Amino acid sequence: MTRLQRITNILLILLLSLTAGLYIFANLFHYTAYMESDVGAEAVYGMVLAGNNCLPPDTWVSSTENRIVSMPNLAAPIYKLCGNMNLSAGIACSLLILLLILCMVRFYAYVGYSSTGILTACLIPFILSAWNIAGLKMFALYACYYSPHIITLFLLMTAYARLLREKRIRIPSTILLAILSWLLGMQGLRGLAMVYLPLCAVEFLRLITLILINLRDRNEVKKLNFATPIWLLSLSAINYIAARIYAPFGEDTSSNFRKGIFKLFGTAIPETFELIRANGFATIVAIILLLLAVIGWWAIIRQIKTKPEIIAVFTILLSLILAMLAASFTTLDSTPRYYIMVVFVIAAGCGALASFMDWKLTSVLVTFVALLSVISITHAYTALIASDNTLNSTEYAMVSDLESKGYTHGYATFDYAMMLTTYSNGHLIVAPIQMDTMEPALWLTDTRWYPPTTDPSEEYFIVTTEATTPVLQNTLDSKGITDYTIATYGQYSVFFF
């Protein structure tokens, strides 16, 4: 390694440290900067888990997935130590960021990426997502929805690459991976779609290719090692069985073969790039990095003969492709977050370009990545930290006033319930209800927050907006409820009972 390469790596390490440090700081001290109820429910669930000895309570109503290996499960024991809901969630997200980076470093190093290539591949997901908060919530901010799946993907790819190189199964690591597969399966089928099926597809394509190459030589075909596909299929089966037993939630879907191609090009592909084209500058950056990544993926293909384990990288690409095909050729609703692997696909390609191509081309790429890192860090600091207006927000003022008046629980529609609970740092429980019936809205909530479990003699409140205020008033009139007062906080009305 030349002196210039060492200086380059030091610069990239510094930039990666600053990037990770920025998002960690945002999670720890500016957790409510972009708060909304879906994210707030993750933090609240961490607190609920802590109150049940870190075990999922029967009273919690999940959404489309259970939470077994997730940010709330990591936040729960931290909450028991610090007693601060938002801080425990922020610490959990920060730990997931560090674990993801460590898993990426370990994998890319094992398949032969250079130090420069590894650092490039670790930086680019954060660079591409810097202008899209929704994308960052998937693996870096506030909820880290898909961090467990992506971390598992890199762990399993590393084990797969090691198996291809050593041609032997390690029992201790296999047992640990089987346990992780079971736990991830208990959450739902997303792990199967994002992790296990793509890896099985890579192994299937590898075997088919080897069989076709050696088709005329039966002895060579007989020498093929089928322990690897059996190993992968076993882990996948464990994940699937757990999902079928423990994860009853999900969307009913059917095939969409007739219109699938139109949905693919009309919805899935455009939504894939929504994650990396938040504005004109971000779009230009994404196009340039995408083109460089294409060259990098060609470099990966050229390395397969000398580094057969590098084929594991294709799992990242197939994870994205399968997500797009699943959303297109079924009636499953498509949303940009399903395609978060696009930033890791581009990162893997650019990392390969920095590892396996001429140093002159690598130096141009690294200079570009370093410049983008500085720009993305500056933008993220402004958006996540400098622009955080939590303490001056109407929501914060409202929950602070309600706390000072002695209230401990109230109700709102789901869009506001978990958000307001998080603004209060869990001191004020705002449970979701349906305004037209005043019945519980059983979605990411706890049944203990409603009558008859709650104390009927205790005062409570209902928060409404301009749109829901007349709906609630009509409901109260129809039920003959007249004993209440109303206060206004900005765009919110609060009914006190």
Side-chain angles (χ1 to χ4, degrees):
M1 183 182 293
T2 66
R3 183 183 178 188
L4 178 59
Q5 289 173 323
R6 284 196 294 270
I7 294 173
T8 299
N9 287 341
I10 291 172
L11 173 63
L12 291 177
I13 290 172
L14 177 62
L15 290 171
L16 182 58
S17 300
L18 286 173
T19 300
L22 174 69
Y23 290 116
I24 288 172
F25 189 85
N27 281 319
L28 294 179
F29 304 110
H30 297 270
Y31 188 75
T32 55
Y34 285 86
M35 187 48 56
E36 37 91 9
S37 274
D38 283 314
V39 170
E42 301 295 305
V44 172
Y45 186 47
M47 180 180 68
V48 171
L49 283 169
N52 196 52
N53 294 320
C54 301
L55 298 174
D58 294 335
T59 53
W60 181 260
V61 183
S62 299
S63 56
T64 57
E65 285 187 328
N66 295 323
R67 292 288 183 264
I68 306 297
V69 185
S70 65
M71 184 279 283
N73 302 93
L74 183 57
I78 300 172
Y79 179 85
K80 290 179 76 72
L81 293 174
C82 69
N84 186 314
M85 187 184 80
N86 292 349
L87 180 61
S88 62
I91 293 173
C93 289
S94 302
L95 292 174
L96 288 172
I97 290 174
L98 296 175
L99 185 57
L100 174 59
I101 292 174
L102 287 174
C103 289
M104 286 195 292
V105 168
R106 185 167 179 261
F107 170 69
Y108 287 123
Y110 198 87
V111 296
Y113 276 41
S114 67
S115 300
T116 305
I118 292 169
L119 294 166
T120 300
C122 290
L123 267 170
I124 286 178
F126 296 100
I127 292 173
L128 286 170
S129 304
W131 288 269
N132 192 306
I133 302 298
L136 287 170
K137 289 176 183 177
M138 298 301 109
F139 67 94
L141 285 179
Y142 311 142
C144 293
Y145 290 113
Y146 293 169
S147 286
H149 305 83
I150 299 170
I151 288 169
T152 302
L153 177 64
F154 278 98
L155 285 173
L156 199 57
M157 286 193 299
T158 304
Y160 174 60
R162 186 175 62 228
L163 183 55
L164 291 179
R165 180 191 291 182
E166 299 178 357
K167 294 181 172 56
R168 67 184 182 91
I169 295 174
R170 295 188 180 187
I171 302 301
S173 62
T174 298
I175 292 174
L176 293 175
L177 287 172
I179 294 172
L180 181 58
S181 177
W182 182 266
L183 293 175
L184 200 62
M186 290 174 69
Q187 291 196 166
L189 291 170
R190 192 175 306 283
L192 188 70
M194 284 186 70
V195 181
Y196 296 95
L197 287 182
L199 199 51
C200 286
V202 168
E203 175 60 11
F204 175 77
L205 292 174
R206 185 186 74 88
L207 278 179
I208 292 296
T209 302
L210 289 175
I211 291 172
L212 291 175
I213 291 173
N214 299 289
L215 195 58
R216 296 181 180 179
D217 191 341
R218 292 185 177 181
N219 291 327
E220 288 297 321
V221 174
K222 290 179 180 179
K223 290 179 183 178
L224 292 177
N225 184 1
F226 289 94
T228 302
I230 293 173
W231 178 78
L232 283 173
L233 287 172
S234 299
L235 291 175
S236 302
I238 290 171
N239 181 266
Y240 178 75
I241 292 169
R244 300 308 301 175
I245 294 174
Y246 294 102
F249 304 100
E251 297 180 62
D252 293 327
T253 62
S254 58
S255 61
N256 183 39
F257 292 111
R258 292 179 60 188
K259 298 181 180 179
I261 194 70
F262 300 103
K263 190 176 179 184
L264 176 65
F265 286 97
T267 303
I269 292 177
E271 286 187 345
T272 299
F273 291 99
E274 275 187 30
L275 289 168
I276 55 177
R277 57 176 183 86
N279 55 42
F281 176 76
T283 302
I284 294 172
V285 167
I287 291 172
I288 295 173
L289 289 176
L290 179 60
L291 293 174
L292 292 171
V294 170
I295 302 173
W297 279 95
W298 174 246
I300 293 173
I301 294 172
R302 294 177 60 185
Q303 294 292 317
I304 292 177
K305 282 189 177 181
T306 57
K307 294 185 178 73
E309 64 272 12
I310 204 172
I311 198 172
V313 181
F314 281 89
T315 309
I316 302 172
L317 180 60
L318 282 181
S319 182
L320 172 63
I321 292 173
L322 288 179
M324 295 168 67
L325 293 177
S328 300
F329 290 93
T330 67
T331 55
L332 182 72
D333 287 338
S334 179
T335 182
R337 70 174 183 271
Y338 291 164
Y339 316 119
I340 189 60
M341 292 308 297
V342 66
V343 299
F344 294 93
V345 169
I346 295 174
C350 290
L353 183 62
S355 299
F356 307 123
M357 302 300 284
D358 180 75
W359 173 248
K360 290 182 179 179
L361 184 58
T362 299
S363 61
V364 173
L365 170 62
V366 169
T367 302
F368 183 55
V369 169
L371 179 61
L372 290 178
S373 293
V374 173
I375 296 172
S376 67
I377 289 170
T378 303
H379 172 78
Y381 173 80
T382 302
L384 302 175
I385 298 172
S387 299
D388 182 8
N389 195 43
T390 296
L391 298 179
N392 297 318
S393 66
T394 302
E395 292 81 4
Y396 184 78
M398 178 170 62
V399 297
S400 297
D401 188 55
L402 292 172
E403 281 185 64
S404 68
K405 291 179 178 178
Y407 287 94
T408 59
H409 78 281
Y411 305 96
T413 58
F414 177 77
D415 289 341
Y416 299 95
M418 294 294 100
M419 177 186 71
L420 295 173
T421 302
T422 310
Y423 268 113
S424 75
N425 204 2
H427 299 142
L428 199 66
I429 297 297
V430 184
I433 62 169
Q434 304 171 64
M435 291 297 172
D436 56 346
T437 61
M438 292 179 66
E439 294 295 322
L442 297 178
W443 177 271
L444 295 175
T445 188
D446 196 308
T447 56
R448 292 172 294 183
W449 296 340
Y450 305 94
T453 307
T454 55
D455 185 353
S457 64
E458 188 176 358
E459 294 182 337
Y460 65 94
F461 60 87
I462 298 179
V463 179
T464 62
T465 61
E466 184 178 347
T468 56
T469 296
V471 178
L472 178 61
Q473 287 179 325
N474 288 337
T475 305
L476 293 173
D477 291 342
S478 66
K479 292 179 177 288
I481 300 174
T482 59
D483 187 15
Y484 61 86
T485 59
I486 304 176
T488 302
Y489 298 85
Q491 71 269 34
Y492 301 101
S493 296
V494 180
F495 289 69
F496 296 98
F497 299 88

